[in-house]
Amino acid sequence: MLNQQQIDQYRHDGYLFPLPALSAAELAECNAGLARYEAWLGTPVNQADRRWRSAGYVVLPWLDALARHPRILDVVEDLIGPDILVYTATFFIKEAHSPTFAAWHQDATYFGLDPHEHVTAWVALSDASADAGCMEVVSSQGAPRQLHHAALGLEHSINGGGQAIVERFYEGDGEMMALPAGSFSLHHTLCRHRSAPNRAGHRRVGIGISYIPAHCRLTGSVRMCARLARGHDTGGHFDLIPTPEGEFHPAAVARHEQVYRAYRDNYYEQIAAHERAFAAAPHDGGEGLPAGSPSADQFSP
Ligand SMILES: O=C(O)CCC(=O)C(=O)O
């Protein structure tokens, strides 16, 4: 559970870390589960078809249990209330000495969730140091807002479409969210974040679990699926995903295809809606240089 100071900090900055999640035995169990998954796929997750990065809890009971881990949910409940859905979960893996990176972005850009209460718990299954390409975040200073993105198709981007913020913002106070294995960070859906390539000699493995309160709805036309993690589905805005019948069970694999298709269809619809919204009301260079800021080259992009 979080104390009031941590809750206030999250509300002000839009992120919070590090928080403990897994015991050594639980961490080993997750990593063994990941190894079985990659054996089943016949390839590392990030070389498999993109669908296998998303919503793994639909086919993997260990990941379903991770997404409903009480130590994570107790913290999430402090931020978004007792009725919690898993909107999606994504494997974010960078091989040792690999160029895989994430450009500055905000998750809200391609989720289309209203209100903006979605929070991601990024669970580290390996150490995620600055050297290994952990996430870097910029405080929202209590005033988060949606920034203009474009699908730049960036090579080696860990995010589909290579989405990146294309308007200027002040990034001078960026903070490295380094995490030891077994811990997690939280970031709000409008938190600006990015990550550098992995320069370490080990694989950096994280799973981003996206939680929403059950009253959140989608702004687009796609009816999506979600997994009830805690409490009640008070909103009824999603088709609920059942507990997987077993690891790689054919029924669960077939369900994963439906879940992924809906996720992908909504993603592309949201990207298009974002482009239309910013074409209609362009907003650029909104953040002035705060007094005492060292130089303009700390602006991105
Ligand atoms: O794992 C990374 O480096 C990026 C993760 C990310 O963009 C996210 O969790 O939203």
Side-chain angles (χ1 to χ4, degrees):
M1 285 187 23
L2 299 175
N3 60 38
Q4 193 55 46
Q5 192 195 341
Q6 289 173 306
I7 294 172
D8 293 345
Q9 204 178 328
Y10 173 81
R11 303 254 181 262
H12 182 263
D13 290 333
Y15 62 88
L16 193 67
F17 77 102
L19 298 154
L22 307 177
S23 67
E26 289 170 328
L27 178 61
E29 234 173 85
C30 289
N31 276 311
L34 174 58
R36 287 195 305 279
Y37 186 41
E38 295 192 312
W40 181 76
L41 291 171
T43 181
V45 176
N46 47 7
Q47 281 169 35
D49 187 278
R50 234 179 157 100
R51 64 181 21 79
W52 299 116
R53 294 188 197 186
S54 286
Y57 49 85
V58 178
V59 285
L60 303 171
W62 66 267
L63 184 43
D64 186 56
L66 178 66
R68 291 183 297 106
H69 196 298
R71 222 169 288 131
I72 300 175
L73 289 182
D74 287 349
V75 165
V76 170
E77 179 169 345
D78 287 338
L79 300 177
I80 65 171
D83 299 313
I84 304 172
L85 299 176
V86 178
Y87 172 76
T88 193
T90 309
F91 283 99
F92 288 113
I93 300 179
K94 296 178 181 176
E95 302 300 337
H97 302 294
S98 70
T100 310
F101 80 110
W104 285 118
H105 68 281
Q106 297 168 298
D107 298 336
T109 311
Y110 32 75
F111 281 0
L113 290 161
D114 182 37
H116 278 145
E117 292 181 36
H118 151 236
V119 56
T120 297
W122 197 98
V123 185
L125 297 191
S126 72
D127 286 338
S129 60
D131 210 37
C134 70
M135 270 188 288
E136 182 182 356
V137 281
V138 175
S139 172
S140 298
Q141 304 287 349
R145 70 175 178 89
Q146 177 70 59
L147 277 79
H148 187 190
H149 289 58
L152 301 179
L154 302 164
E155 201 184 355
H156 305 304
S157 171
I158 207 166
N159 291 316
Q163 289 287 317
I165 295 172
V166 290
E167 68 174 273
R168 281 157 48 93
F169 67 91
Y170 182 65
E171 57 166 292
D173 299 324
E175 191 171 0
M176 291 293 177
M177 287 213 289
L179 294 173
S183 67
F184 68 107
S185 59
L186 296 165
H187 63 272
H188 180 261
T189 199
L190 286 170
C191 173
R192 292 160 288 185
H193 56 291
R194 70 173 174 182
S195 68
N198 183 1
R199 294 182 306 270
H202 67 85
R203 207 179 193 208
R204 193 218 69 170
V205 181
I207 301 179
I209 308 172
S210 295
Y211 295 101
I212 54 172
H215 60 254
C216 260
R217 59 171 75 237
L218 283 163
T219 55
S221 68
V222 179
R223 174 86 181 172
M224 279 194 47
C225 309
R227 174 88 171 120
L228 183 63
R230 179 174 276 184
H232 303 282
D233 179 23
T234 50
H237 303 306
F238 295 84
D239 292 335
L240 294 185
I241 299 167
T243 308
E245 291 81 352
E247 196 161 85
F248 320 127
H249 189 284
V253 172
R255 190 177 301 121
H256 181 269
E257 186 59 25
Q258 285 175 359
V259 171
Y260 177 74
R261 271 172 196 266
Y263 175 80
R264 187 201 53 195
D265 292 350
N266 177 62
Y267 182 100
Y268 286 116
E269 191 175 306
Q270 292 303 328
I271 296 288
H274 177 86
E275 281 167 15
R276 278 196 308 276
F278 275 87
H283 178 106
D284 205 356
E287 290 179 28
L289 199 60
S293 302
S295 76
D297 60 14
Q298 284 174 298
F299 273 83
S300 179

